[in-house]
């Protein structure tokens, strides 16, 4: 990610950045899958408390729900970053080992996939303003499939009996968050005991199922606030909240402002 202040949980949606990374004083988290392409120099990330160096010519992809930050950046380092909402990523139906490793482990990295990734990123940086989102998704799916099939992809997953079930649970949450579901409902849909599912999710992802459900709903709401003119109440209910008051409480707690203020400030000219 671009660096900056590192302010805990954030939401980005489908977005692309390109430039110079900055050190982050604190770890942050977000709901999206993140792709990093290191075009020059090198930087060191911290993922879940462990450092990971990424050098020029490396592609790295990870799920932003794990606390991470940029620890160090060498002079003249440049990168490109792309964030992809988890529900979009899961719709791609990528190979199960790749998806499981990505959701349950540290970043998947590759050098062999760098040229293809940078070619895509460089084209997207020029075309993105007028590129239909569906076209971007299709091209992104093709890139991720290439990465998943690259022989040198560094896939370091946790023990499979944990991560495959955790990945299934994460997939169920991402597919059902706009529905009126509870943590117990989601565990049942993942064919897991409710208590086991709760423990597993907290162990693998560092948050409760209910917290994950709320994060997805808030990320969806933020995207709707920025990309539609729907009334705030409609945004709340379309995002899966069953109560407008609960939506306001959750939104203020995460975003530190009201939905109306969030929409107005983001829409204001620089």
């Amino acid at each position: 990610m671009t660096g900056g202040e590192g302010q805990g949980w954030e939401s980005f949606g489908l977005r692309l950045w390109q430039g110079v990374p900055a050190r982050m004083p604190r770890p942050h988290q977000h709901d999206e899958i993140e792709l990093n392409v290191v075009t020059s120099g090198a930087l060191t990330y911290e993922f879940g408390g462990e450092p990971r160096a990424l050098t020029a010519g490396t592609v790295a992809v990870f799920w932003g729900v794990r606390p991470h930050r940029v620890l160090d950046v060498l002079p003249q380092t440049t990168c490109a970053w792309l964030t992809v909402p988890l529900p979009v990523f899961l719709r791609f139906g990528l190979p199960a080992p790749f998806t499981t490793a990505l959701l349950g482990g540290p970043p998947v990295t590759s050098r062999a996939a760098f040229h293809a990734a940078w070619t895509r990123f460089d084209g997207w940086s020029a075309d993105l303003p007028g590129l239909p989102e569906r076209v971007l998704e299709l091209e992104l799916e093709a890139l991720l499939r290439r990465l998943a099939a690259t022989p040198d992809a560094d896939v370091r997953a946790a023990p499979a009996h944990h991560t495959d079930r955790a990945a299934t649970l994460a997939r169920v949450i991402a597919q059902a968050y706009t529905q009126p579901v509870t943590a117990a409902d989601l565990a049942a849909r993942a064919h897991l005991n409710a208590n086991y599912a709760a423990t597993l999710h907290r162990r693998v992802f560092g948050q409760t199922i209910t917290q994950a459900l709320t994060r997805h709903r808030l990320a969806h709401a933020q995207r709707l606030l920025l990309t539609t003119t729907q009334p705030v109440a409609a945004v709340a209910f379309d995002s899966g909240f069953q109560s407008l008051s609960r939506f306001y409480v959750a939104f203020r707690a995460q975003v530190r402002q009201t939905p109306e203020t969030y929409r107005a400030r983001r829409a204001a000219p620089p």
Side-chain angles (χ1 to χ4, degrees):
M1 187 49 58
T2 54
E5 293 303 314
Q7 299 177 359
W9 274 96
E10 301 180 67
S11 180
F12 301 106
L14 188 59
R15 292 180 60 188
L16 175 68
W17 299 263
Q18 190 174 331
V20 179
R23 295 181 182 87
M24 299 172 65
R26 295 180 297 278
H28 77 160
Q29 297 169 269
H30 54 83
D31 297 303
E32 296 84 3
I33 299 295
E34 180 175 336
L35 285 86
N36 283 204
V37 177
V38 186
T39 51
S40 65
L43 68 159
T44 301
Y45 262 108
E46 180 185 66
F47 294 97
E50 296 185 3
R52 186 77 175 271
L54 302 179
T55 58
T58 300
V59 179
V61 55
F62 58 91
W63 188 19
V65 75
R66 293 182 172 277
H68 59 282
R69 63 170 172 158
V70 177
L71 283 178
D72 192 28
V73 181
L74 292 185
Q76 301 182 332
T77 296
T78 57
C79 297
W81 308 264
L82 180 71
T83 54
V84 186
L86 183 63
V88 173
F89 171 81
L90 293 174
R91 284 203 303 268
F92 295 159
L94 299 172
F98 178 76
T99 300
T100 296
L102 195 59
L103 296 181
V108 175
T109 60
S110 171
R111 297 185 66 82
F114 172 79
H115 179 72
W118 176 236
T119 299
R120 289 289 191 190
F121 272 58
D122 199 31
W124 288 335
S125 65
D127 299 337
L128 196 60
L131 191 66
E133 190 167 291
R134 179 58 179 157
V135 174
L136 176 59
E137 289 181 10
L138 288 170
E139 293 184 359
L140 178 60
E141 179 182 349
L143 173 59
L144 287 170
R145 287 192 180 280
R146 179 188 289 268
L147 177 59
T150 300
D152 81 324
D154 183 7
V155 177
R156 307 180 190 179
H161 69 284
H162 289 310
T163 56
D164 58 358
R165 293 176 184 175
T168 297
L169 186 54
R171 184 179 298 109
V172 166
I173 296 171
Q175 292 169 339
Y177 69 86
T178 59
Q179 303 169 18
V181 291
T182 64
D185 295 332
L186 294 166
R189 292 188 187 191
H191 305 291
L192 298 173
N193 172 273
N195 290 334
Y196 172 76
T199 301
L200 176 67
H201 196 279
R202 181 181 285 277
R203 180 190 307 158
V204 174
F205 303 124
Q207 58 179 329
T208 67
I209 294 174
T210 300
Q211 287 173 329
L213 194 60
T214 300
R215 301 293 183 194
H216 279 300
R217 288 170 173 170
L218 287 171
H220 190 98
Q222 287 173 272
R223 290 194 289 275
L224 290 180
L225 287 168
L226 297 181
T227 59
T228 75
T229 57
Q230 287 182 263
V232 170
V235 167
F237 293 121
D238 285 354
S239 301
F241 288 92
Q242 301 303 302
S243 161
L244 188 57
S245 62
R246 290 181 182 177
F247 170 64
Y248 270 91
V249 169
F251 199 94
R252 286 194 185 100
Q254 176 169 312
V255 189
R256 306 299 181 186
Q257 54 190 297
T258 67
E260 292 86 354
T261 301
Y262 176 83
R263 170 179 268 170
R265 286 182 176 175
R266 294 299 181 95

